[in-house]
Each structure stands twice: as C-alpha cells, then as structure tokens.
Amino acid sequence: MSHLTLFLCGDVMTGRGVDQALPRSCPPRLYESFVTSALDYVALAERANGPIRRPVDYAYVWGEARAVLQAEQPHARIINLETSITTSDDPDPKGINYRMHPGNVAVLTAAGIDCCVLANNHVLDWGRGGLAETLRTLAGAGIRVAGAGPSLQAAQAPAVLEVGDGHRVLVFAFGMMDSGIPPDWGADATRPGINLLPDLSAKTVAGIAGLIRMTKRPGDVAVASVHWGPNWGFDIPAAQRGFAHALIDEAAVDLVHGHSSHHPKAIEVYRDRVILYGCGDFLDDYEGIPGREEFRSDLVLMYFPTIDLPSGRLVRLKLQPLQIRNFTLKHPSPSDRAWLRDTLARECRQFGHDVVLADGGLMVEWR
C-alpha cells in the first residue's frame, strides 16, 4: 500500500427528530425552551421539504453518500458523532439534548463507520450513564471511539484503525469549551467524560505530543480531531491556526479534523498536511428551522484526503458536496454545488489555495 484514503465529515446528529424517523425511537419528550417534543422537528422538516415515510430504514439517512463511499473506497471512515446513544432519562440541564435509541445503532454500521469521535458538546447530553451506554453500544457494534471514556486515560487513548499492510490510522480526539462543552464534562483519573483541553497553549501541545509519541510508529497516520469554536462564522482564530500548525510541527500529526461549525469552513494545507478547520454538519434534523440561511448549512461535504505512505504527505483532497433533504443526503443542484465551491474558494484564498469543480465534486488545489 503506497497511498491511504480517508473519509471524514463533520457533525453526525442522529438523535431527536432523526431518531423519531428510525425503526426504534426514544420517548420524544424534550427539555428545550420552545420545543417539548422531538416529533416537532420531524414536522418542521416535512413542512419544508415534504413528507418522510416512517419508519425509514437504517441506510436511508446516508442517501447518496453510500454510493459515493462505494465509489471512493476509503480505507477508514471517521465521523464526529454528536449524539448520545442511550435510553437514559437523565437530561443534562444545558437545554439541548440529543439521543438515539441503542436499537438504532445499525444506522452507523449501514455506512460502514469505523470510528466515532465523541469529544463534543452532546455526547453527555443524557448524563454519564448515557455516555456509558453509548460506549457499550458502539463497542457492541464493532465501532471504535476516540475522545471519551470511563477515565481520562481512556478518553486520551487513540482509536486504532488497522488499514492493511501493517499501516494504522490513529485517531486522537479533543474538545474545547468554546464549542459549548460544559467544564464538568471533562474526564479525570476516576470520572468518566471527554478529553477536554484546558487551552491551546504550547504546554497543551507538548502533552499531546507525548501521547502520540507513545503510540505512533513508522507507517502510521495520526489524526487529531478537535471540536472547537462556535457554530456560525468563517473566522479562523489565530490561536486555532497556531495550535493546528504546532500539532503538525511538534506532535507528528498528519491531519487535523476540526468540527463544531454548522457549515464548512476554510481548509489549509500546511507542510503537506491538511487542516480542516470546520467540516460543518453532515446529518441532522435542522430542516425548516429559520435563521442563518446565509450559511447554507443544508449543503454538506464528504472529505476524502489521500495520503502518501509512509511520508504522511497529502497527495489529493477531494470533496463531495451533498444536501440534506427529508433527513437524507442527496446530490445538490449544479447551482448549489457552484455556490459551495465559490464559498470555499473564497475562504481558502487566505491560505493561497483554490477549490475547483471536478468530476461532479470539488478538488482543493494548494500548489
């Protein structure tokens, strides 16, 4: 094997309204300020885009993404799972609580997901009992996890994905409080939780570098998956950029997988390593919710970086645009695909990169 291709995406939210459309569902009661039933999110989506014939099957939500995955044949499939998988009825008082019934875990295996990143602001929405059930359910489905666990040591440990010929993908996952993660969700020596970073300082980078050095061996690809920043806006803070560069320079990270933003943000190729500052949402139940229309969060991306082994250099970065409609992913219109290309090209220009239309998708050009 001389090259490795990964599939990455942003936030996968299969709870709330999506859970109500699947074969097994949690009770629909919510604790939000204005919405008390998850069924209301189904109704909003149907009002916006037409009826959803329920229950949908487990492959339904992935829609056209499954055919794209079949065509691209990535060696590993990595998502940020922004949903607790639990029947726990112990909601965190934060107000917005996502959960999917454990009986619906086949929605993840239907897309062949290898790794779920859990260091985010929703995995403990239903308490530490909900986290424990999430971890058990994913383990039972054969899906690796990164960024959360029964202790800090477990939360810091990478997901190790064997990809053939002795090569591995190591997924390290981290969360930042500026993404909305409550400070008491952090794991410690005896407390379950997530791998919550205190800051983006040199000291933090040094700690991450030490963890990676203990695990990474020649031929491995190290992914740093970071849940950081607000939901809206294209700004890339200097602290995020400096941290991402330091992970590559000092911690031997080969790819930075950023998420939390509800829309795709700029991409930087630094020292032939790709930094995805914000991958945007990928699956959710937000259809029909008014506001922030200028960001077009209904337009989503599949990211397919191809990496040279063993150098770790990025060889190609293909992006596949899709659109969320009726809780499934469909190919967007040519005009919507062009809008997304233009928006990404504008944001990537700050790094001297371009984004071009190619083979029904997009390609990032950095040389």
Side-chain angles (χ1 to χ4, degrees):
M1 178 189 295
S2 61
H3 292 85
L4 171 80
T5 297
L6 302 177
F7 161 62
L8 301 112
C9 67
D11 300 350
V12 170
M13 200 290 279
T14 53
R16 209 167 60 177
V18 177
D19 180 64
Q20 296 302 307
L22 292 168
R24 302 283 299 275
S25 301
C26 292
R29 184 183 178 190
L30 299 176
Y31 302 88
E32 301 174 10
S33 300
F34 299 104
V35 180
T36 58
S37 172
L39 291 168
D40 290 346
Y41 287 97
V42 180
L44 279 170
E46 291 184 322
R47 193 176 307 150
N49 294 309
I52 300 169
R53 297 184 63 179
R54 292 177 277 151
V56 302
D57 63 39
Y58 292 120
Y60 171 85
V61 298
W62 301 97
E64 300 291 347
R66 293 177 79 228
V68 176
L69 288 167
Q70 179 64 28
E72 295 296 328
Q73 289 292 305
H75 295 89
R77 306 177 186 197
I78 302 163
I79 67 171
N80 174 51
L81 181 65
E82 215 175 37
T83 303
S84 183
I85 307 175
T86 182
T87 56
S88 167
D89 200 25
D90 179 26
D92 189 276
K94 64 199 281 282
I96 304 294
N97 305 88
Y98 300 154
R99 64 177 169 174
M100 178 179 77
H101 194 286
N104 289 329
V105 72
V107 78
L108 301 175
T109 57
I113 301 305
D114 296 299
C115 176
C116 288
V117 170
L118 301 181
N120 59 57
N121 60 315
H122 286 289
V123 75
L124 270 83
D125 275 356
W126 296 87
R128 285 182 162 79
L131 172 62
E133 189 171 12
T134 300
L135 295 170
R136 289 196 304 271
T137 303
L138 291 171
I143 299 172
R144 307 291 175 84
V145 301
S151 66
L152 179 59
Q153 183 178 14
Q156 290 177 331
V160 180
L161 311 178
E162 305 280 349
V163 292
D165 291 347
H167 297 290
R168 306 182 302 171
V169 177
L170 310 178
V171 183
F172 297 84
F174 317 94
M176 292 292 299
M177 283 187 287
D178 64 359
S179 69
I181 299 173
D184 64 346
W185 282 18
D188 64 22
T190 58
R191 181 178 67 179
I194 70 169
N195 187 13
L196 187 60
L197 297 183
D199 52 42
L200 302 178
S201 66
K203 180 180 179 181
T204 297
V205 172
I208 294 169
L211 290 170
I212 294 177
R213 277 195 297 269
M214 288 191 298
T215 312
K216 190 178 182 184
R217 62 195 189 200
D220 288 347
V221 171
V223 175
S225 191
V226 192
H227 202 66
W228 56 5
N231 294 151
W232 305 104
F234 291 104
D235 181 55
I236 308 295
Q240 284 189 4
R241 191 179 185 200
F243 182 74
H245 288 189
L247 288 177
I248 293 167
D249 290 337
E250 301 170 33
V253 164
D254 299 296
L255 186 152
V256 179
H257 172 219
H259 34 84
S260 178
S261 61
H262 283 328
H263 55 87
K265 298 177 71 171
I267 297 164
E268 181 181 11
V269 180
Y270 171 74
R271 293 186 54 196
D272 289 320
R273 269 67 175 174
V274 66
I275 303 168
L276 309 174
Y277 283 104
C279 288
D281 288 335
F282 194 67
L283 294 172
D284 59 43
D285 68 349
Y286 304 159
E287 292 171 67
I289 300 174
R292 308 286 188 172
E293 287 83 0
E294 69 272 22
F295 292 104
R296 293 301 308 271
S297 61
D298 60 310
L299 297 176
V300 305
L301 284 173
M302 305 176 78
Y303 297 81
F304 293 101
T306 297
I307 297 167
D308 174 68
L309 297 172
S311 71
R313 290 177 50 252
L314 182 70
V315 174
R316 185 185 75 157
L317 180 54
K318 182 176 181 180
L319 314 175
Q320 180 61 55
L322 293 169
Q323 187 170 35
I324 303 173
R325 284 287 183 272
N326 299 110
F327 294 169
T328 188
L329 294 169
K330 301 180 179 181
H331 288 297
S333 68
S335 61
D336 283 339
R337 188 168 61 249
W339 182 92
L340 192 51
R341 187 220 74 91
D342 292 345
T343 301
L344 280 174
R346 181 194 71 208
E347 295 305 315
C348 291
R349 203 166 293 133
Q350 63 187 298
F351 304 123
H353 308 338
D354 196 9
V355 181
V356 300
L357 296 169
D359 300 326
L362 308 176
M363 297 287 283
V364 178
E365 295 183 342
W366 66 94
R367 293 189 180 91

